[in-house]
C-alpha cells in the first residue's frame, strides 16, 4: 500500500471537510440576490385556474 490505512482515512476526512466548506460558502447566495429575482406572474402561480386544464 502507498500509505498506512489511517492515511486513507485522513485523506477522505480532508476531502469531505473541503467539500463541506465549499457547500457552506454558498448558504446565503439566495438571500443576497433575493431582490434581483423577478416575482412570478400571478396567472402562473400554483393553484391558479390557468393551470387546471380548462
Amino acid at each position: 500500500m502507498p500509505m498506512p490505512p489511517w492515511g486513507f482515512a485522513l485523506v477522505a476526512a480532508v476531502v469531505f471537510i473541503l467539500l463541506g466548506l465549499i457547500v457552506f460558502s454558498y448558504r446565503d447566495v439566495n438571500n443576497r440576490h433575493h431582490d434581483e429575482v423577478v416575482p412570478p406572474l400571478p396567472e402562473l402561480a400554483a393553484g391558479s385556474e390557468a393551470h387546471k386544464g380548462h
Side-chain angles (χ1 to χ4, degrees), residues 9-19:
L10 182 64
V11 169
V14 169
V15 168
F16 280 119
I17 289 170
L18 288 175
L19 290 173

Side-chain angles (χ1 to χ4, degrees), residues 3 10 12-13 16 26 30 33 46 50-51 54:
M3 64 180 128
L10 182 64
F16 280 119
Y26 283 97
N30 184 41
H33 299 286
H51 278 266
H54 293 115

Side-chain angles (χ1 to χ4, degrees), residues 2 6 11-14 16-17 20 22-23 25 35 39 42-45 47:
W6 59 265
V11 169
V14 169
F16 280 119
I17 289 170
I22 291 170
V23 169
S25 70
D35 58 341
E43 61 268 11
L44 298 179

